[in-house]
Amino acid sequence: MPNSPETRAEARRLRDLFAAQGAQVIEADVLQSAETLLDLYGEDIRARAYLTSDPLRGEMVLRPDFTVPVVQMHMESHADPARYAYAGKVFRKQENDETRANEYMQVGYEVFDGQNPAAADAEVFAVIAEGLSGLPVRAATGDIGILTAAVRGLQTTDARKAALLRHIWRPHRFKTLLKRYAGGKVPATRTALLAADDPFANAGSDIGLRSRAEVEARIAALRDDAQQPPISSDEVMLIDAILELRETTPNVLSHLRDIAVDMPAISDAVARMEARVNALDARGVDVDNLEFEGSYGRTSLEYYDGFVFGFYATKRPDLPPVATGGRYDALTARLGEGRAVPAVGGVIRPDLALGVA
């Protein structure tokens, strides 16, 4: 059970294990500012989080995870390097499956250390794996940084690259945009709208939240985009090749090196991945059999921007991941008002860990 005495005892065991790695044990407020989360993730967060209104503090949210409050706490402390451990409840709406818990325990380990990011990635993965030692789980890994590097290296406009980067965590929308930018068929309604001398001629009265000026600016941007040359089929094929990777880590590295010959923009990201693989190997992780998926992590919360991982019950594929984690450097820059601190962390759900034991 998500909140049973056994779950709480396992949470304490894991928290103490993380503290033994040199982590400072911290707590985070259950109520968090909704403004911060809405600014980070947009209105989509309303579908996943419980919001309430406070007469003095305004709109508040029951914490959907610990990462944001931990980053805020760290950025205020100016400690460097730092390691944190925590245990507590998180709250998430479940829209499609009433059997899934809407409140449950999370135990986490976060590392803020820019001296050797590859070593920090390996440390967090290995510590989380130690917490799950002996359980029938398999690890899956990915690297959002390789895909973002590929998008930034495309021979196209900054506006198109920004749109693709914004939708990396929405795989269907990303694929649709990439296809359109590559010269795919444009909906007839959009073609007619952009060709009209006066797009507002038959629009009726203004409704919705966008002003007339905002709509006009959007139409102008779409018209400008329609005049741009398409992204080459070769570049699209390389993006698809990255997303379709699903093999053991050494084989993926070999494929990525080949892709980097034709797409040099990913070379640095591939080198970082290789350094991380070496660091994992040095910590005793069986990298030869470690799974890597090119699209892994793209349906998680949108703060991961590098290494991502998860642990799954081998005999219970119906369960959510027992543990997840990854690198989120960009989030620290956003919450630190431009002051970025390299950061990576992971969490374990003790109720699921007990359930697969």
Side-chain angles (χ1 to χ4, degrees):
M1 296 291 291
N3 302 305
S4 69
E6 293 79 10
T7 297
R8 292 194 292 271
E10 176 66 2
R12 289 192 294 272
R13 182 190 75 82
L14 291 167
R15 184 198 60 194
D16 292 346
L17 171 67
F18 297 161
Q21 308 297 319
Q24 175 187 351
V25 176
I26 58 173
E27 295 184 3
D29 292 338
V30 172
L31 281 175
Q32 299 289 322
S33 166
E35 181 181 0
T36 300
L37 291 176
L38 289 168
D39 180 58
L40 286 171
Y41 310 125
E43 291 294 322
D44 289 351
I45 194 66
R46 292 184 185 275
R48 294 174 279 175
Y50 291 97
L51 284 90
T52 187
S53 181
D54 184 276
L56 297 178
R57 299 181 179 181
E59 200 167 28
M60 305 293 288
V61 61
L62 291 175
R63 65 185 178 219
D65 72 4
F66 278 87
T67 304
V68 170
V70 170
V71 170
Q72 290 176 312
M73 189 182 307
H74 174 77
M75 300 308 280
E76 292 173 359
S77 73
H78 295 277
D80 185 28
R83 284 159 176 76
Y84 303 107
Y86 53 82
K89 286 185 180 182
V90 296
F91 307 84
R92 297 185 187 178
K93 293 179 182 177
Q94 304 295 342
E95 295 183 312
N96 302 316
D97 186 353
E98 64 180 10
T99 66
R100 295 184 66 171
N102 56 2
E103 62 175 274
Y104 50 85
M105 295 290 290
Q106 257 188 8
V107 188
Y109 181 67
E110 313 287 336
V111 174
F112 295 79
D113 189 346
Q115 296 177 2
N116 189 335
D121 287 348
E123 174 186 340
V124 170
F125 181 91
V127 169
I128 296 294
E130 183 180 352
L132 303 175
S133 178
L135 298 181
V137 295
R138 67 170 183 87
T141 66
D143 193 333
I144 300 293
I146 292 172
L147 180 58
T148 56
V151 170
R152 291 190 175 102
L154 291 173
Q155 300 301 305
T156 190
T157 64
D158 289 341
R160 285 181 172 180
K161 287 188 278 191
L164 289 168
L165 289 169
R166 190 166 58 251
H167 291 290
I168 276 178
W169 292 271
R170 300 173 181 86
H172 178 72
R173 178 59 176 159
F174 179 90
K175 184 177 181 179
T176 300
L177 275 178
L178 186 62
K179 183 177 180 180
R180 193 178 88 205
Y181 293 156
K185 185 178 180 181
V186 177
T189 52
R190 174 171 292 184
T191 301
L193 174 70
L194 300 184
D197 292 332
D198 181 6
F200 296 93
N202 300 308
S205 59
D206 292 350
I207 59 174
L209 298 177
R210 291 185 178 180
S211 67
R212 175 68 66 98
E214 288 174 322
V215 175
E216 289 175 339
R218 175 61 177 161
I219 292 173
L222 290 172
R223 282 174 167 166
D224 178 69
D225 183 75
Q227 303 303 312
Q228 302 299 324
I231 295 174
S232 74
S233 59
D234 288 343
E235 287 190 313
V236 173
M237 288 175 61
L238 292 170
I239 293 283
D240 287 341
I242 290 171
L243 292 175
E244 291 168 4
L245 289 170
R246 186 166 185 165
E247 296 185 52
T248 57
T249 296
N251 287 334
V252 167
L253 262 178
S254 178
H255 287 309
L256 285 172
R257 293 190 192 102
D258 291 341
I259 293 172
V261 173
D262 296 313
M263 184 175 268
I266 70 169
S267 296
D268 288 345
V270 174
R272 287 193 292 271
M273 177 181 169
E274 185 168 11
R276 179 173 64 248
V277 171
N278 291 334
L280 286 166
D281 182 57
R283 279 191 167 264
V285 176
D286 181 9
V287 294
D288 288 339
N289 293 299
L290 184 62
E291 297 178 14
F292 184 99
E293 301 173 26
S295 196
Y296 186 76
R298 295 177 65 210
T299 56
S300 304
L301 286 175
E302 300 173 16
Y303 48 69
Y304 292 133
D305 56 7
F307 177 49
V308 284
F309 65 86
F311 288 84
Y312 299 82
T314 55
K315 299 179 182 178
R316 291 290 306 277
D318 58 304
L319 290 179
V322 179
T324 56
R327 177 161 289 281
Y328 49 90
D329 296 353
L331 179 63
T332 68
R334 293 187 66 179
L335 293 177
E337 299 180 350
R339 184 177 69 88
V341 179
V344 59
V347 295
I348 295 176
R349 280 189 56 172
D351 60 316
L352 295 180
L354 290 174
V356 302

